[in-house]
């Protein structure tokens, strides 16, 4: 036995005690952070809607609820979400099945192409479609009118159907990704045994494959539903001009019209409660649907599934895939960059009309654009770093230390999922503009706080996932090798979750770079973000400059996405 | 009559990392009506691929497969009957029981596909459930049942449509050992009761021997031996078959002066008979640990290196020349570590002294 | 090297008591196996020794040092206990090379780099992994990772190494090889080894002593493998240590008869079957069980030759159930043999296994096929006589899992 090992009782007690306290301490810190960033804004909304000068008063809420304009907005929200969800599910399912179970060529390429819409900021897509299909000025409509010689446009994008179409293009990957994953994990022998039992390929799809991917479909459909319920960008860009409002855009409009007055914010807050109620209802529905059908289908030898031979259908279906990709990805992309290079909006897209001036303008000349790029980088990097670190800490508490009361943390952590960005922004305004002796309004910090609250759930989820991969025995092994709890954390756990943390960073950085909703309510004169800048330049009618800035944003996002892929691929190799 | 006939069946894959790999190499085989026939071999030997070709899940790269007098795959004519038209029953390793259907509907599925009347379906399902001791569980869902019960569902589903040929792909390897033994008997009984022809794929030699009327040992895509379990165990065709069917000792030896000299031993020789037709001056002598006798006197003299008590028997280790051998004996005569004893090899099989297949080649095959 | 003492320890997880009032003394330099069905708290015992679990009461001593005591408020954390642990899932750190994995404990103990390197090389050579020092764990097979884990544990402690079912995830051949490997290493290093498993084959191979634990976490018997097999304390230990038959018998008129068990699926053979062995002394009930191992039953053709059967006492030949010399039943006395019908024949290569239906029950008989081929093998439906050596009697049969 080595000397110095026999510690006295008091030291031991302290050591035992200190470890116990580390857990408790981390729990307390984590809870405080979540309460401040997440719970407080929500509480402030509820308080400000139902209380006035410290006394209960629900007249405001009642009047908001009976206002026909607001009811129309709610009805629009429900209609849009319904159609986006139904159509998005059908589209996602179709492509997932085509790639997962048929012998269609170029699968790898298509798989990566189909998730591109997922990273494309929908409001930039909406801008692009506006440029193409605005009733009079849209390029496609103009071409159509020139061809037919008439005055009726091909399609008016500034309608509910237009909004549904654009949201659909960017939200179907939710179902696509979920179902593709389920099909990949599904034991192929489940389908093979049906074949052996005498069922032909179509029967197998109908009777076996489809029922088994129902949970995945439901999960993806709910993601679409919740996203489109709380979605702001597309209806804002396509709907305002035609007087079409949804709940999120109505909330924005109320606050914007009142130019930040307290009354306007209270009205916005009232609608926010309505919106949250709708979303919570949808989430509750999701829980129910998912509970009824949780199958364990991830089993079996890794055999290649039997692929359905498309034979004569191969070429037409491949064409459908590519047309769809061209419409959802290539066309908007081409439009944004194309218009970004134009001397003025409206002129034909010819080389003679092209110029680099717009890019020069947004990158070097416009103070606002430059500020916006800088602000977005600052906000995205800072919020990603902070959220990633704090999220990892909270996840460590939940997954590894497992103190009593971790359930509270879990609930608080996923709460922001059910709070739409616009609502969170309202709450942040109510909380951080002087209510607690701290007025951050018009500063960049208020946006940072909102981002942190918004992305905490992402970070916790990705950190939990990578921590769960690190089996307890790995840390225990290093304890028995002579490393203290802290040293084990440093030498074993941290290096093992590092790739996960890097991926987590990008999972926050990327959406933060293209964020619009929250920033739009919180920005001040010098704290525009890239999303805000694109939106306001566009609203002010400087279309070509807005497109140039959007092009810059897309390039940044694509680079980020490539880095993320590289990082996660490396992790898979281990 | 032969129920399953394979004629020169070949299957090769092209993989990115290794180029062309022949998974099944020119296999010809007749499986008779009513027999239980096993494919035995290590993982990657091609046994599952062969079974999947019989089922119709894999294309052939060459050859023909017949079910009875009906061709189902003929490569030369590009003729292929899809799995659902082959009228087979199949049970998979991972049970492949449909989680969204209850026990009754799982078993009824093949009959529903045939559009049978409800009364008939109910009748036949009941019969199948009785055969597999599942009666009373009709309303349960697979997730509520144990692994053994799930595998019974799969079995019931395979026999319900009265398929004459049953394909089983390692059906017991996901079960615990106790259950595995019970299920083994149930499968055997079912086969006898219903007169089924069973094609059984396994890597477990005990399972194959316990179940089969005849079996095939396969390695590297090539059939090594086809015979009854007893004949294969007692007369393995080559070293691979010998080593795959149980514990084994291989002693390389040189022959001169009509005596057998184990490698590394210049001074003493092994007392054993040289087969009359043996004309090489080198050989590998194969024996099973329980076929070796230890005697206090005589035999090949060596010292006990290791002794382990294993309940039913005692295992010793010792060197013959520079080869370590294991001996298992039930006899009460006891040796201690360090004791000098005599070794007499029993039931020796003689194999040529060529190299074994390299591990790399085995690794290469694991990818398919 | 060190002895390990557990003195009346109790461990609870939340409200669930994993082990209660558990005492065990592991001698210096021995290999002791905790053998029991899962879950029986054996892993908890191991974690209590390593310091990965806290005690609710009791005391753990390693060598001369008390490492955990509830009453004295002592808890030495795992990193200061000097106990090497090999986990069931190996827990080899995937981001470190084999060498770095094994070097880590030495680094934590501030062993000078050169000395540490030498020690690592030594131990890697011992576990036959020297050629793989620069590899990362994902480049290794399960068995190789196992060896790395073993090497790391050996470096972590020269006193005590604990192994938690480290072989369950390996395939049969590798498992067999590794158990001898572990035994060899223990012999070479003289380290105290505590091994936890539910597999009696492994326990018999590697242990100096075995502690058989039941589901409640208490020790049923502690002793050397031969002792346990030769003299099992109760039916639980008997069943756990190998294949067994438990034949229900009852005493009627001073003779033993095979008892019919309702629902055993007998049917055809319902006539009373005599169990022709002397009534054991000291049984409290009229009904009890006769236990025997499948390997200890000899089969012969009824009335034909019977040459293969031997008397349990003197090893000489039985004829028609009569011992040639004296048997356990006195010289000259003639007894009926236990008669049955072969219900099933299972050929397992080295072993012939029969299921023989006797009365309403089925008895499992195994014969070395080497022996079986010398005599004659039986077919399904054959009538046969069984003679059993080494019968033990138990009042009841306990489920082991």
């Amino acid at each position: 036995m080595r000397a110095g090992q026999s510690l006295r009782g008091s030291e031991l007690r302290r050591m035992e005690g200190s470890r116990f306290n580390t857990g408790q301490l981390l729990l307390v810190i984590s809870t405080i952070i979540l309460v401040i960033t997440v719970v407080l804004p929500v509480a402030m909304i509820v308080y400000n809607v139902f209380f006035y000068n410290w006394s209960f008063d629900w007249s405001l809420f009642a009047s908001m609820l009976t206002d026909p304009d607001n009811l129309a907005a709610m009805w629009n929200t429900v209609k849009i979400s319904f159609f986006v969800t139904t159509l998005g599910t059908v589209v996602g399912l179709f492509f997932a099945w085509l790639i997962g179970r048929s012998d269609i060529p170029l699968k790898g390429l298509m798989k990566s192409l189909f998730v591109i819409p997922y990273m494309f900021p929908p409001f930039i897509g909406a801008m692009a479609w506006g440029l193409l299909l605005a009733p009079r000025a849209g390029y496609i409509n103009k071409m159509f009118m020139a061809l037919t010689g008439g005055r009726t446009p091909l399609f008016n994008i500034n309608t509910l159907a237009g909004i549904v179409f654009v949201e659909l293009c960017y939200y179907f990957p939710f179902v696509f990704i979920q179902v593709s994953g389920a099909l990949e994990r599904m034991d192929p022998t489940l389908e093979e045994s049906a074949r052996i039992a005498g069922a032909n390929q179509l029967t197998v799809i109908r009777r076996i494959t489809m029922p088994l991917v129902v949970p995945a479909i439901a999960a993806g459909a709910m993601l679409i539903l919740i996203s489109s319920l709380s979605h702001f960008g597309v209806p804002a860009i396509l709907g305002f001009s035609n007087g079409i409002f949804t709940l999120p855009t109505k909330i924005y409009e109320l606050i914007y019209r009142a130019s930040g007055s307290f009354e306007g914010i209270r009205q916005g807050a009232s609608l926010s409660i309505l919106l949250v109620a709708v979303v919570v209802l949808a989430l509750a529905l999701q829980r129910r649907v998912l509970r009824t059908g949780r199958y364990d289908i991830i089993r079996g030898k890794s055999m290649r599934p039997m692929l359905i031979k498309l034979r004569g259908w191969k070429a037409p279906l491949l064409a459908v895939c590519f047309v769809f990709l061209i419409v959802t990805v290539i066309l908007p992309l081409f439009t944004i960059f194309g218009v970004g290079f134009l001397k003025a909006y409206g002129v034909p897209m010819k080389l003679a009309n092209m110029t680099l001036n717009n890019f020069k303008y947004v990158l070097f000349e416009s103070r606002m654009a430059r500020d916006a790029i800088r602000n977005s980088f600052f906000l995205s990097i800072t919020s990603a770093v902070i959220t990633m670190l704090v999220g990892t800490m909270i996840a460590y508490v939940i997954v590894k230390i497992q103190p009593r009361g971790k359930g509270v943390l879990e609930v608080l952590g996923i709460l922001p999922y059910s709070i739409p960005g616009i609502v969170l922004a309202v709450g942040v305004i109510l909380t951080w503009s002087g209510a607690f002796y701290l007025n951050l309004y018009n500063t960049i910090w208020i946006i940072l706080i909102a981002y942190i609250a918004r992305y905490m759930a992402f970070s916790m989820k990705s950190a939990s996932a990578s921590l769960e991969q690190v089996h307890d025995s790995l840390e225990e092994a290093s304890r028995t090798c002579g490393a203290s709890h802290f040293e084990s954390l440093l030498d074993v756990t941290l290096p093992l979750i590092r790739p996960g943390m890097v991926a987590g960073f990008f999972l926050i950085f990327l959406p933060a770079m293209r964020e619009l909703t929250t920033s739009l309510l919180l920005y001040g004169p010098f704290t525009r973000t890239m999303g805000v800048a694109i939106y306001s330049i566009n609203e002010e009618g400087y279309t070509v400059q807005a497109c140039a800035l959007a092009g810059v944003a897309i390039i940044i996002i694509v680079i980020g996405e490539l880095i993320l892929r590289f990082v996660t691929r490396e992790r898979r190799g281990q | 009559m032969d129920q399953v006939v394979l004629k020169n069946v070949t299957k090769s894959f092209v993989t990115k990392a290794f180029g062309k790999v022949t998974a099944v190499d020119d296999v010809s085989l007749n499986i008779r009506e009513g027999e239980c026939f096993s494919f035995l071999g290590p993982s990657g030997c091609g046994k599952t691929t062969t079974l999947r070709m019989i089922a119709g899940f894999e294309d052939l790269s060459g050859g023909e497969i017949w079910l009875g007098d009906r061709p189902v795959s003929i490569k030369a004519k590009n003729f292929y009957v899809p799995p659902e038209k082959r009228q087979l029953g199949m049970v998979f390793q991972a049970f492949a029981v449909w989680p969204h259907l209850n026990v009754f509907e799982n078993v009824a599925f093949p009959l529903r596909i045939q559009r049978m009347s409800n009364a008939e379906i109910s009748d036949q399902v009941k019969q199948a459930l009785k055969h597999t001791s599942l009666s009373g569980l009709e309303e349960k869902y697979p997730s509520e049942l144990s692994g053994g019960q799930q595998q019974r569902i799969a079995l019931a589903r395979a026999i319900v449509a009265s398929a004459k040929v049953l394909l089983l792909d390692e059906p017991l390897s996901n079960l615990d050992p106790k259950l595995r033994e019970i299920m083994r008997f149930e499968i055997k009984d079912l086969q006898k009761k219903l007169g089924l022809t069973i094609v059984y794929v396994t890597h477990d030699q005990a399972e194959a021997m316990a179940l089969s009327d005849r079996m095939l040992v396969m390695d590297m895509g090539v059939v090594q031996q086809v015979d009854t379990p007893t004949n294969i165990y007692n007369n393995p065709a080559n070293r691979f078959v010998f080593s795959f069917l149980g514990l084994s000792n291989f002693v390389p030896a040189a022959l001169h002066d009509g005596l057998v000299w184990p490698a590394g031993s210049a001074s003493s020789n092994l007392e054993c008979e040289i087969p009359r037709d043996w004309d090489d001056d080198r050989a590998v002598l194969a024996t099973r640990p329980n076929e070796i006798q230890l005697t206090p006197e005589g035999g090949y003299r060596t010292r006990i290196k290791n002794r382990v008590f294993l309940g039913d028997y005692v295992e010793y280790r010792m060197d013959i020349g520079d080869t370590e051998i294991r001996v298992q004996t039930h006899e009460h005569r006891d040796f201690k570590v360090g004791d000098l004893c005599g070794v007499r090899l029993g039931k020796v099989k003689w194999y040529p002294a060529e190299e074994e297949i390299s591990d790399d080649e085995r690794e290469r095959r694991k990818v398919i | 090297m060190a002895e390990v003492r557990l003195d009346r320890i109790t461990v609870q997880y939340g409200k669930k008591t994993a082990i209660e009032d558990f005492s065990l003394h592991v001698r210096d330099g021995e290999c002791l196996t905790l053998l029991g069905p899962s879950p029986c708290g054996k892993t908890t015992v191991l974690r209590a020794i390593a310091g990965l679990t806290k005690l609710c009461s009791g005391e753990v001593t390693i060598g001369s040092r008390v490492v955990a005591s509830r009453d004295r408020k002592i808890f030495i954390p795992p990193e200061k206990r000097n106990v090497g642990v090999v986990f069931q899932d190996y827990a080899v750190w995937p981001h470190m090379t084999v060498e770095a994995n094994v070097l880590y404990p030495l680094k934590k103990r501030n062993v000078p780099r050169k000395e540490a390197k030498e020690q690592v090389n030594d131990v890697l050579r011992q576990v036959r992994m020297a050629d793989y020092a620069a590899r990362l764990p994902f480049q290794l097979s399960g068995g190789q990772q196992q060896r790395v884990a073993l090497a790391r544990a050996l470096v972590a402690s020269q006193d005590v190494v604990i192994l938690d079912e480290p072989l369950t995830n390996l395939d049969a051949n590798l498992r067999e090889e590794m158990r001898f490997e572990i035994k060899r290493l223990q012999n070479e290093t003289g380290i105290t080894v505590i091994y936890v498993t539910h597999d009696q084959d492994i326990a018999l191979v590697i242990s100096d002593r075995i502690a058989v634990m039941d589901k409640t976490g208490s020790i049923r018997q502690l002793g050397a493998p031969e002792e346990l097999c030769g003299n099992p304390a109760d039916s639980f230990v008997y069943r756990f240590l190998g294949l067994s038959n438990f034949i229900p018998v009852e005493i009627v008129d001073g003779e033993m008869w095979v008892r019919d068990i309702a629902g055993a699926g007998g049917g055809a053979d319902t006539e009373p079957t005599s169990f022709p062995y002397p009534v054991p002394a000291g049984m409290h009930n009229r009904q009890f069980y006769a236990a025997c191992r499948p390997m200890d039953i000899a089969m012969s053709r009824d009335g034909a030759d019977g040459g293969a059967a031997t008397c349990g006492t003197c090893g000489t030949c039985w004829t028609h159930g009569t011992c040639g010399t004296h048997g356990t039943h006195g010289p000259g006395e003639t007894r009926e043999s236990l008669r049955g019908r072969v219900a099933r024949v299972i050929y397992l290569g080295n072993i012939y296994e029969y299921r023989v239906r006797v009365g309403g029950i089925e008895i499992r008989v195994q014969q070395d096929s080497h022996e079986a081929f010398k005599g004659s093998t039986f077919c399904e439906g054959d009538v046969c006589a069984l003679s059993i050596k080494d019968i033990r009697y138990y009042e009841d049969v306990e489920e082991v899992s």
Side-chain angles (χ1 to χ4, degrees), chain B residues 11-295:
Chain B
K11 175 78 185 176
S12 42
F13 295 99
V14 178
T15 61
K16 267 192 195 137
F18 303 107
K20 193 173 148 188
V21 178
T22 305
V24 177
D25 195 356
D26 197 21
V27 172
S28 296
L29 193 65
N30 297 335
I31 298 172
R32 296 169 199 145
E33 182 168 3
E35 82 174 332
C36 181
F37 192 96
S38 297
F39 294 177
L40 175 67
S43 69
C45 75
K47 57 190 190 300
T48 297
T49 310
T50 310
L51 191 79
R52 290 173 61 82
M53 286 194 285
I54 298 174
F57 291 126
E58 302 275 356
D59 296 334
L60 276 60
S61 307
E64 297 178 10
I65 297 177
W66 293 60
L67 293 176
D69 48 8
R70 175 171 164 240
V72 288
S73 298
I74 300 178
K75 179 64 191 171
K77 294 185 196 160
N78 235 340
F79 177 79
Y80 164 83
V81 176
E84 64 266 27
K85 300 230 159 69
R86 296 196 176 194
Q87 290 164 351
L88 299 164
M90 188 160 178
V91 177
F92 297 87
Q93 178 182 356
F95 315 150
V97 179
W98 301 306
H100 62 298
L101 301 177
N102 65 19
V103 172
F104 184 91
E105 285 304 325
N106 256 288
V107 180
F109 187 87
L111 308 178
R112 295 223 186 273
I113 294 295
Q114 294 177 12
R115 303 196 181 283
M116 266 187 197
S117 74
N118 274 335
E120 267 178 296
I121 289 178
S122 166
D123 255 20
Q124 295 207 20
V125 170
K126 244 179 221 148
Q127 202 62 31
L129 290 179
K130 213 177 99 198
H131 281 315
T132 49
S133 339
L134 281 172
S135 302
L137 297 174
E138 286 87 348
E139 301 300 315
K140 296 263 187 221
Y141 278 84
S143 57
E144 302 169 87
L145 300 175
S146 68
Q149 286 168 322
Q150 292 194 39
Q151 196 57 298
R152 286 200 179 99
I153 303 176
L155 211 53
R157 190 175 63 192
I159 59 168
V160 74
S162 333
K164 279 279 127 206
V165 179
L166 220 57
L167 311 179
L168 295 106
D169 184 7
E170 308 227 10
L172 305 183
S173 54
N174 281 12
L175 304 177
D176 70 61
K178 224 174 170 179
L179 202 56
R180 216 176 294 166
E181 199 170 46
I182 296 170
M183 288 294 290
R184 206 152 77 188
F185 292 145
E186 291 190 8
I187 292 173
K188 190 79 190 165
D189 287 347
L190 212 57
Q191 184 224 350
K192 280 187 198 154
K193 216 182 311 179
L194 305 176
L196 297 167
T197 305
I198 286 183
V199 186
Y200 193 99
V201 164
T202 180
H203 65 267
D204 179 341
Q205 49 93 12
E207 206 167 281
M209 290 211 265
L211 266 170
S212 320
D213 298 314
R214 285 194 307 150
M215 61 196 224
L216 160 165
V217 183
M218 208 169 178
D219 187 36
M220 315 290 287
V222 178
V223 174
Q224 306 288 323
Q225 194 169 6
V226 182
D227 212 327
T228 62
T230 328
N231 285 347
I232 291 188
Y233 186 81
N234 289 326
N235 289 306
N238 55 38
R239 249 177 95 170
F240 171 80
V241 177
F242 192 101
S243 69
F244 202 75
L245 288 186
L247 299 176
S248 44
N249 294 302
F250 293 109
V251 182
L255 313 181
H256 46 85
D257 310 330
L259 294 171
V260 183
W261 301 89
S265 163
S267 52
S268 46
N269 63 307
L270 277 169
E271 299 168 21
C272 63
E273 214 174 304
I274 303 168
R276 226 169 283 153
D277 54 352
W278 198 262
D279 51 9
D280 197 357
D281 60 352
R282 290 191 311 148
V284 172
L285 278 56
T287 54
R288 310 252 176 236
N290 63 336
E291 305 282 6
I292 300 176
Q293 280 191 320
L294 297 184
T295 54

Side-chain angles (χ1 to χ4, degrees), chain A residues 296-309:
Chain A
D296 177 24
I297 49 175
I298 316 161
R299 264 197 316 211
K301 291 190 205 175
S302 57
M303 270 286 178
R304 291 152 305 191
M306 275 204 43
L307 300 178
I308 289 184
K309 296 202 168 70

Side-chain angles (χ1 to χ4, degrees), chain A residues 23 26-27 30 392-403 409:
Chain A
L26 286 177
L27 176 67
S30 307
T392 306
M393 180 186 82
I394 299 175
Y396 187 82
V397 173
I398 293 174
V399 175
K400 294 288 173 193
I401 298 183
Q402 305 196 338
L409 281 187

Side-chain angles (χ1 to χ4, degrees), chain B residues 181 189 291 317 326 330, chain C residues 176 180 344 364 368 370:
Chain B
E181 199 170 46
D189 287 347
E291 305 282 6
R317 295 198 175 206
R326 326 165 44 164
H330 304 273
Chain C
E176 173 138 336
F180 284 103
R344 236 182 246 285
R364 185 177 197 157
D368 200 303
H370 178 69

Side-chain angles (χ1 to χ4, degrees), chain C residues 224-241:
Chain C
E226 278 92 341
E227 208 177 311
L228 261 60
C229 288
N231 201 5
D234 53 30
S235 67
F236 180 86
V237 176
Y238 191 89
R239 274 191 94 169
F240 210 86
L241 286 177

